[in-house]
Amino acid sequence: MSALVVRDVEPSDGPAWRRMWTANYTHHGATMSDADINELWRRILQPDHPVHALVSAVAHDRDLVGFAQYVLHPHTFTSRTVCYLEDLWVEPDARGAGVGRRLIEALIERGRASGWRRLYWHTEAENEAARRLYDRMAKLTDYVRYDVDLP
């Protein structure tokens, strides 16, 4: 794959982002209303909102091939900001070409420059392809996650 560019999402990325976002949540067996999708996009574009997104594009044609959506939040053990990588998506035909690695590296670079305390994420235990990448980039912790759905 040609050189990758990682950058903040821009308003003009909306159609490509929506296509990839739909593929991502569909992959996870979720559904979303148009209102919720539009609200997420609005939040991502709002600079002072804690939800942000980076996108990766092929340098020569600027086609988007992936995104990283992340949430910045305070933490009780530090006065420094913590970053939760909530969604990482790479287009199927671009997987294995370093897109996911480059998106995570860009977040690490941003975190160091901004003084974040930590970057963290989770994935499904059976997501072997992603875990091979994550095992090379981060430390697997002993934490177990519990969820309570609040309908």
Side-chain angles (χ1 to χ4, degrees), residues 16-57:
W17 171 86
R18 188 178 186 108
R19 176 183 45 76
M20 290 190 298
W21 177 239
T22 300
N24 180 61
Y25 71 72
T26 301
H27 169 79
H28 291 288
T31 59
M32 289 185 72
S33 70
D34 283 341
D36 284 340
I37 295 167
N38 293 338
E39 175 60 14
L40 174 58
W41 183 243
R42 186 195 68 76
R43 290 175 181 177
I44 287 170
L45 293 178
Q46 188 177 354
D48 60 343
H49 197 280
V51 177
H52 304 276
L54 296 177
V55 292
S56 183

Side-chain angles (χ1 to χ4, degrees), residues 60-148:
H60 72 277
D61 60 15
R62 305 282 292 168
D63 283 344
L64 296 186
V65 294
F67 65 75
Q69 295 177 162
Y70 60 100
V71 180
L72 300 177
H73 64 88
H75 193 278
T76 57
F77 289 1
T78 181
S79 60
R80 294 163 55 195
T81 297
V82 174
C83 179
Y84 171 53
L85 172 58
E86 188 156 6
D87 305 294
L88 181 68
W89 179 259
V90 175
E91 290 286 80
D93 61 349
R95 292 179 185 165
V99 177
R101 178 184 48 77
R102 185 62 198 109
L103 284 161
I104 294 171
E105 287 172 347
L107 277 176
I108 292 168
E109 292 166 13
R110 179 165 291 187
R112 286 183 176 139
S114 299
W116 299 345
R117 168 64 178 90
R118 174 184 304 124
L119 167 64
Y120 71 101
W121 63 90
H122 63 266
T123 193
E124 298 89 356
E126 70 277 357
N127 189 349
E128 293 176 10
R131 291 186 68 186
R132 280 191 297 274
L133 169 65
Y134 302 159
D135 287 344
R136 290 191 306 267
M137 300 192 76
K139 175 182 70 172
L140 179 63
T141 69
D142 293 330
Y143 283 91
V144 177
R145 187 181 108 173
Y146 294 88
D147 290 347
V148 175

